[in-house]
Amino acid sequence: MNIDDYIADHIDPEPRLLAKLYRHTHLHRLYPRMCTDNTMGRLLVMLTKMIKPRRILELGTFSGYSALCFAEGMPDGCTIDTIEIDPEFAHEIRQAFDNSPCAADITLHIGDAMSLIPEIASVGKPIDMVFIDANKRNYSDYFNILLPLLPSGAFILADNTLWSDKIVDPQAKDPQTQGIRDFNDLVAEDPRVETAIIPMADGLTILRVK
């Protein structure tokens, strides 16, 4: 038994809705490894229950798995705005959300996150929890746009920040790897946030706005 199987055997089981979505994603979508799995999903649920946000913003919906994890863990009255740049699967994503008991609290936005973030943040309750899982080249730009819009005590979760350990490989010079490196350096040196990294899967950075 490898460590991934061991972990899977010692965490909460995957809910039926998410198991069905995970299988569908792997059968019908390109790059299915972009989909959150149950190990990371249970962590996202737990973090959401701990943070108790009033409003969540997700950058990078993909097939909707992580948004449904946040919905599972969020308190009553919390809402989620999730942004997906690719319109091709918008109907499928909305169908997945409609199957959730929290469907009314999830809003899917189709478009470029850089343009939509200020627009979404300007309406409604303050955003106090953000999940960044979109274009890795833009992580630093997302952070710079988001930070002035977030209240003190807000949390930013950034996925894939160890990027299969490519960030410590000097031979890895592709734009996505460099984008992650730049983001990691940026947040580590920014006095406005507290920073921690969970070294599981591809890495999850947790930032708290001071």
Side-chain angles (χ1 to χ4, degrees), residues 29 58 60-63 81-94 97 107-117 119-120:
R29 298 290 294 270
E58 177 182 55
T61 314
F62 193 49
S63 61
D81 292 274
T82 180
I83 301 173
E84 172 56 41
I85 195 168
D86 186 353
E88 183 177 357
F89 294 97
H91 179 68
E92 280 191 11
I93 296 169
R94 289 193 173 97
F97 291 163
T107 301
L108 174 64
H109 304 264
I110 300 296
D112 180 64
M114 301 284 286
S115 301
L116 289 173
I117 289 169
E119 178 183 331
I120 292 170

Side-chain angles (χ1 to χ4, degrees), residues 48-66:
T48 307
K49 290 180 177 180
M50 293 167 64
I51 294 170
K52 298 181 173 62
R54 295 168 294 171
R55 188 180 182 196
I56 302 169
L57 173 63
E58 177 182 55
L59 311 184
T61 314
F62 193 49
S63 61
Y65 192 107
S66 52

Side-chain angles (χ1 to χ4, degrees), residues 181-195:
R181 284 197 191 105
D182 292 342
F183 171 79
N184 289 342
D185 292 342
L186 175 68
V187 299
E189 297 170 0
D190 196 314
R192 297 171 295 175
V193 293
E194 302 167 13
T195 307

Side-chain angles (χ1 to χ4, degrees), residues 135-154:
N135 190 329
K136 313 310 171 192
R137 290 169 290 186
N138 294 337
Y139 268 35
S140 294
D141 293 331
Y142 298 145
F143 175 78
N144 287 326
I145 291 175
L146 284 164
L147 197 58
L149 304 175
L150 302 179
S152 176

